[in-house]
Amino acid sequence: MTGKIISLDKISTAEKQKLFSFWEEHTSHLFQDKTWLAVFNTAYQQKSYLFYGEEQHKIKGLLPLVEVKKKLVALPFIDYTLVVAEPEQEVEVLNNLSQTIDKQKFLLRML
């Protein structure tokens, strides 16, 4: 699986539609809802990103990120964050994220 971090303001319409479609199909918890990114972007003017893992051009999982004080945070102000992923893919997506991202610029809180 390969991983990629992409800014939502620099994503093509087709790629955004593909990612958001996956997101809607695999959301199982309130804090996984894509509306949260719009809330952070509008209310706090924080830039939004998506990390996603892909295998053979098929999305396996994603994690919404928001830039706060030059760090990428998985849903700030919320103590419960889940990876949006295919069943049984959550750990692989997180492992891929840890290999892709600069750990000095990332904060993930999961219960």
Side-chain angles (χ1 to χ4, degrees), residues 41-60:
N41 198 351
T42 304
Y44 302 106
Q45 291 77 46
Q46 293 171 321
K47 195 170 181 179
S48 301
Y49 296 84
L50 280 179
F51 168 80
Y52 66 97
E54 199 173 40
E55 193 171 76
Q56 298 177 343
H57 304 289
K58 184 175 183 216
I59 298 168
K60 294 295 186 176

Side-chain angles (χ1 to χ4, degrees), residues 24-42:
E24 288 173 3
E25 290 173 20
H26 295 85
T27 296
S28 62
H29 192 277
L30 168 69
F31 294 126
Q32 287 181 324
D33 192 297
K34 68 183 188 306
T35 307
W36 284 108
L37 286 183
V39 169
F40 291 119
N41 198 351
T42 304

Side-chain angles (χ1 to χ4, degrees), residues 1-14:
M1 182 185 311
T2 59
K4 187 175 183 180
I5 296 174
I6 191 158
S7 170
L8 286 182
D9 62 354
K10 295 182 179 174
I11 190 172
S12 73
T13 303

Side-chain angles (χ1 to χ4, degrees), residues 84-96:
V84 179
E86 292 277 351
E88 311 290 321
Q89 294 291 312
E90 294 91 347
V91 172
E92 188 174 349
V93 171
L94 284 174
N95 283 338
N96 196 281

Side-chain angles (χ1 to χ4, degrees), residues 55-82:
E55 193 171 76
Q56 298 177 343
H57 304 289
K58 184 175 183 216
I59 298 168
K60 294 295 186 176
L62 60 85
L63 182 65
L65 303 168
V66 177
E67 188 174 350
V68 179
K69 297 180 183 177
K70 298 185 180 184
K71 287 190 178 225
L72 293 177
V73 181
L75 292 184
F77 316 119
I78 296 172
D79 289 329
Y80 188 67
T81 304
L82 294 170

